[in-house]
Amino acid sequence: MADRQPLVRLRGIRKRFGSHEVLRGVDLDVQPGEVMCLIGASGSGKSTLLRCVNHLETPDSGRVVVDGDLVGYTERDGKLYELPERQIRAQRARIGMVFQHFHLFPHLTALENVREAPMRVHRHSKATATATALDLLDRVGLAAKADAYPRHLSGGQQQRVAIARGLAMRPQLMLFDEPTSALDPELVGEVLDVMRDLAAQGMTMIVVTHEMGFAREVASQVAFMSDGQIVERGTPADVLGRPAHERTRSFLSKVL
Amino acid sequence: MTSVLPKTRQDDEHSMVIVRRRHPWRWAGWVAAAVIVVSVAVSFLTNPNYQWGIVAGYLFDRRILDGLLTTLKLTAVSMAIATVLGLVLATMRLSDSRLLRGMAGAYVWLFRGTPILVQLILWYNLAILVPQVRLGVPSGPTLWSAETNDLITPWTAAILGLALNEAAYLGEIIRSGIISVDKGQTEAANALGMSRLVTFRRIVLPQALRVIVPPASNEAIGLLKYSSVVSVIALPELLYSGQLIYGRTYETIPILLVVCIWYLVVVTALTMLESRLERRLGVGFRPTGHGLSRDRRWARWLTGNR
């Protein structure tokens, strides 16, 4: 596994908001087909790191490489030049993202939410995009809700539509930013089930989560972040079961 | 099943009749309203000073209808130009570029900060300030030029004045609509790889319009009425046409009534249009139901949806 080319390669990612340095030189590799769970306390930089992967957040230094492509920049004469927006958009279109608060488009139905980007970005015909969207809604168990507006769906259903929307772009990589944190407890399971299926089908995923059960069961790798750095990473059995660092132990003792 | 209450008592609690609160003052309100409506109506009908016969005579008078048409054209054209310009101003004010933000800010400051009356007079008398309009390289060759007096008619001055002034207000309304849309919407669209234009037109604008339409309709109605200030540059719109008539016939009150009737007719139509528009833009935001399909088609058309 280690000799394969990683799908995601982060090197020396730094990011500062005002005087606060949120990311302090993060290195991380994610192999194709892996599920990488990022855990850590609020404010440890997990979400910011995730948002750097698709350039929603621009790192102050360091490089993000997805599938061999430097994200957001091009390298010439030892300098990184910011890419034109059109190329950044093309890179983002290959990376799906699911947000904590879903961010579904409220004026569009579930079906329209899912088919909008394929139609507008990939210029798929309405018929093709609709067929794909219905298929994806079926995969997340919401075929019957295709014509419902987000506000008429439960939080769990909305998040499943959001996952279908991300998948509609046929991404190589899916990013999940605390996908279940805004959900009522009884709705968490249905979203995790969809994510588990996705992982089983070999989708490469980076998941920022507080669901230790999910991490233990589904993750191939777990990385524990604290103060803008990755303190410890390894298999779930190692990081969650036999943490090597005091900070990891102390965090786990609070959340488990 | 065990009951904590004795049997008879529980049966009572299940079959209690609920008596709603009475609202005696509401009835008093209805009565008072009826008295006022009736007495106003009686005065309208029996007071000869209203001169309803004369009102009826002038209601479809050629000059009044021409004035009405001028008012409608002025309002529609100015509003259309102001909307486009307002959109540009709003986008500039929300831009990352400090230059664009500053330019739009200065525009709003100038046109919102001076009386429309003065602006109109200045536009109409532009020739005094700038006798000749010239397109070309500064202190170089001229590509095109014209006498300002040939360009500025009462019409162009009125449209310029009303549209440029209104744009300043609409720009602020549109800006507030755009910033009312959750930032997460733009972020989700970005993450999907949508271009700025697609994100604006398909995601942000349809949601912003819900916030923009009510105050913008207010502006349209306001513009309809204050377009009468163009009478200062001798353009006979609805009110001025009326004034021209009663200036000769001294039938002041009946003719003003005619003018008011037409304003009310147009404002009523605009109000109906607005509530339809609001209903159609509310699709997906209503608590129940999935929205009428006709409402949807309309909203789609507005935002360029297929």
Side-chain angles (χ1 to χ4, degrees), chain A residues 4-254:
Chain A
R4 272 202 288 164
Q5 162 98 347
L7 183 66
V8 181
R9 189 165 171 274
L10 307 180
R11 285 295 177 273
I13 307 295
R14 287 179 177 276
K15 177 73 185 177
R16 169 187 292 282
F17 291 121
S19 62
H20 179 53
E21 194 163 28
V22 187
L23 294 175
R24 301 190 297 158
V26 177
D27 296 346
L28 191 71
D29 285 350
V30 181
Q31 305 295 332
E34 262 190 346
V35 176
M36 166 68 70
C37 279
L38 294 176
I39 61 168
S42 311
S44 58
K46 321 178 286 286
S47 289
T48 308
L49 183 65
L50 191 75
R51 293 161 58 86
C52 284
V53 175
N54 66 352
H55 213 67
L56 276 187
E57 217 67 81
T58 50
D60 295 335
S61 66
R63 45 180 69 207
V64 177
V65 179
V66 175
D67 195 26
D69 266 357
L70 192 59
V71 174
Y73 300 97
T74 178
E75 191 167 3
R76 252 183 293 129
D77 324 318
K79 282 186 192 143
L80 294 181
Y81 292 89
E82 206 168 10
L83 283 176
E85 235 185 57
R86 200 159 45 82
Q87 290 182 38
I88 297 178
R89 285 203 303 271
Q91 292 178 330
R92 280 185 183 142
R94 291 184 287 154
I95 304 172
M97 184 155 192
V98 173
F99 299 88
Q100 180 177 357
H101 296 287
F102 332 132
H103 297 332
L104 287 182
F105 307 131
H107 58 301
L108 302 178
T109 62
L111 173 65
E112 290 164 340
N113 263 279
V114 177
R115 75 175 178 203
E116 186 67 22
M119 278 168 64
R120 304 286 162 175
V121 179
H122 288 334
R123 305 240 157 247
H124 288 173
S125 74
K126 191 171 184 176
T128 315
T130 305
T132 315
L134 286 172
D135 192 47
L136 284 166
L137 286 173
D138 190 41
R139 257 173 79 181
V140 299
L142 289 171
K145 296 287 185 184
D147 291 326
Y149 285 94
R151 103 160 253 176
H152 304 128
L153 298 173
S154 74
Q157 291 171 332
Q158 289 189 46
Q159 194 60 299
R160 287 188 279 152
V161 173
I163 294 174
R165 179 176 71 175
L167 291 173
M169 296 297 282
R170 307 223 166 279
Q172 309 162 286
L173 167 70
M174 283 290 283
L175 309 176
F176 292 85
D177 190 1
E178 303 201 25
T180 58
S181 298
L183 297 177
D184 290 338
E186 79 273 17
L187 302 176
V188 168
E190 62 190 65
V191 172
L192 293 181
D193 283 345
V194 168
M195 291 169 64
R196 200 175 283 121
D197 284 351
L198 209 51
Q201 287 157 18
M203 174 62 76
T204 312
M205 294 157 62
I206 306 180
V207 185
V208 171
T209 188
H210 292 291
E211 295 289 332
M212 295 304 148
F214 176 83
R216 192 190 309 272
E217 183 199 342
V218 180
S220 355
Q221 294 274 310
V222 174
F224 170 69
M225 286 188 74
S226 179
D227 290 329
Q229 285 175 317
I230 291 182
V231 175
E232 176 163 9
R233 61 164 292 190
T235 63
D238 284 339
V239 177
L240 300 176
R242 298 177 292 279
H245 285 75
E246 177 48 40
R247 275 194 282 180
T248 319
R249 276 196 290 275
S250 138
F251 171 74
L252 289 174
S253 72
K254 284 177 208 147

Side-chain angles (χ1 to χ4, degrees), chain B residues 207-218:
Chain B
Q207 299 180 56
L209 276 177
R210 294 178 57 241
V211 176
I212 293 170
V213 163
S217 310
N218 232 359

Side-chain angles (χ1 to χ4, degrees), chain B residues 194-235:
Chain B
M194 290 185 194
S195 70
R196 276 201 208 196
L197 191 68
V198 168
T199 304
F200 182 70
R201 219 170 65 114
R202 304 281 299 121
I203 307 301
V204 176
L205 188 60
Q207 299 180 56
L209 276 177
R210 294 178 57 241
V211 176
I212 293 170
V213 163
S217 310
N218 232 359
E219 287 296 317
I221 289 170
L223 180 62
L224 176 81
K225 288 179 296 168
Y226 77 59
S227 66
S228 59
V229 299
V230 302
S231 61
V232 298
I233 52 175
L235 187 65

Side-chain angles (χ1 to χ4, degrees), chain B residues 24-44:
Chain B
W25 284 106
R26 286 189 190 167
W27 289 106
W30 279 101
V31 171
V35 168
I36 293 169
V37 168
V38 169
S39 44
V40 169
V42 167
S43 147
F44 262 24

